[in-house]
Amino acid sequence: MYEAFFVSPQWLHQYLTNENIILVDASAPPPTDPTDYQQRYYQEHIPGAQFFNLDSVADQSNNLPHMLPDEITFTHAVEQLGISNHHQVVIYDQGALFSAPRAWWTFKTLGCNNVKILAGGLHGWKKAGYLLDSGMPAVRQRQHFTAKCIPDQVVSQQQVIALLQQPNVQFIDARPTARFNAQQPEPRPGLRMGHLPGSKNVPWDWLVNEGCYKSPEELKTIFANQQVDITLPTVISCGSGMTAAVVLLALILLGNKNVKLYDGSWAEWGQDNGSPIETH
């Protein structure tokens, strides 16, 4: 099952010079992390990799962070990277599988069907002993890409309010437990503390180890321990829609075909806007 979503460093090394494969570094920082990941990409990246900035290739008309871009914005960005609908895209991040799933979800939601994640990310590539590159990448020839948004993979605040009334839909929050339980302030100023009513807490980093997902058996145990039914229709949220994608992909790996991402997540819901919250 994992092979449908991931490639290994060994596989990528074997096919690195294949013209049909486009490698993308989609690293992004947590809200309190000042690291410039694009600058770190210039310092070291897998040879041939292009940088995809999740914060700039986004809905800039929305003041929420890195919201899903429209088809035109996404098309322009991926064409500039030399990506067509026929290329095999391989995404990695420089961290511990923090942002690669969000980039994977963005590509899939906007019609890029041939997209996988490098298991282990940059760390796994380096651990395997493979060479790195630095500086600006070679400019690729611009390609033609046709974006086609799949709207039922993402939900809005209004849709969440409606879905909260449906007993067969479950909500999962990927934030750390202390934030979920209103024991620790949100890193983004001005937000209330708490969580969506009735939601379950599965912190994203419980599901991964050294940039890879844990085994299906371990994932099932983690979800079961948090009273999550992995077969139910599910909406995932987090702080800003980034790590929600980590939990979303984990459920897809376990066979759930009805899982959606609440893009605004707590950055939107936690505002003083009258949305109902729970604090324990």
Side-chain angles (χ1 to χ4, degrees):
M1 179 69 172
Y2 279 29
E3 290 75 23
F5 299 90
F6 295 93
V7 301
S8 68
Q10 292 75 23
W11 183 94
L12 182 61
H13 183 256
Q14 182 179 350
Y15 293 102
L16 194 60
T17 57
N18 187 313
E19 280 294 312
N20 192 51
I21 293 170
I22 309 290
L23 187 57
V24 172
D25 181 328
S27 302
T32 55
D33 184 349
T35 303
D36 184 337
Y37 278 94
Q38 188 157 0
Q39 195 57 45
R40 279 181 54 171
Y41 157 83
Y42 292 137
Q43 292 168 6
E44 60 173 20
H45 56 260
I46 299 174
Q50 311 281 307
F51 191 82
F52 183 85
N53 192 318
L54 283 161
D55 283 310
S56 61
V57 187
D59 179 3
Q60 299 296 343
S61 70
N62 194 322
N63 62 2
L64 296 169
H66 43 251
M67 292 297 97
L68 188 72
D70 60 35
E71 292 176 349
I72 294 172
T73 301
F74 182 75
T75 296
H76 178 75
V78 296
E79 286 185 346
Q80 291 286 97
L81 297 181
I83 296 172
S84 74
N85 296 83
H86 306 295
H87 283 101
Q88 172 66 63
V89 177
V90 176
I91 293 170
Y92 73 89
D93 64 39
Q94 300 165 26
L97 205 68
F98 175 79
S99 58
R102 170 70 193 203
W104 172 88
W105 175 82
T106 299
F107 274 68
K108 294 286 282 188
T109 301
L110 284 156
C112 182
N113 297 318
N114 305 318
V115 55
K116 295 185 180 183
I117 295 172
L118 173 63
L122 184 66
H123 173 74
W125 178 266
K126 292 163 70 172
K127 191 175 178 182
Y130 298 131
L131 294 177
L132 294 167
D133 210 343
S134 62
M136 295 285 287
V139 177
R140 293 185 57 87
Q141 183 177 352
R142 184 168 182 152
Q143 299 288 325
H144 174 71
F145 185 89
T146 302
K148 182 173 174 55
C149 186
I150 307 169
D152 66 356
Q153 293 193 16
V154 58
V155 292
S156 66
Q157 186 175 30
Q158 291 71 31
Q159 288 170 314
V160 169
I161 291 169
L163 289 168
L164 281 170
Q165 311 305 317
Q166 297 191 16
N168 67 323
V169 177
Q170 73 183 347
F171 290 81
I172 300 176
D173 190 319
R175 290 176 300 157
T177 299
R179 286 165 60 189
F180 178 84
N181 287 331
Q183 296 164 338
Q184 180 182 327
E186 288 297 303
R188 293 180 176 85
L191 297 179
R192 298 174 294 168
M193 295 192 292
H195 55 260
L196 288 167
S199 58
K200 315 287 179 65
N201 184 216
V202 182
W204 73 275
D205 55 353
W206 291 6
L207 306 176
V208 302
N209 182 37
E210 293 193 337
C212 298
Y213 279 100
K214 294 178 179 178
S215 70
E217 293 70 28
E218 289 174 294
L219 295 180
K220 288 175 183 176
T221 298
I222 293 165
F223 282 120
N225 288 343
Q226 298 305 103
Q227 286 77 54
V228 170
D229 183 337
I230 61 173
T231 67
L232 281 180
T234 303
V235 174
I236 319 284
S237 67
C238 60
S240 64
M242 182 72 74
T243 57
V246 180
V247 180
L248 176 140
L249 181 51
L251 283 176
I252 292 173
L253 288 171
L254 296 176
N256 192 327
K257 293 181 170 59
N258 193 347
V259 54
K260 306 175 192 297
L261 192 149
Y262 170 28
D263 204 13
S265 284
W266 202 253
E268 179 176 50
W269 195 271
Q271 295 176 24
D272 191 10
N273 53 19
S275 302
I277 62 171
E278 290 178 349
T279 56
H280 58 275

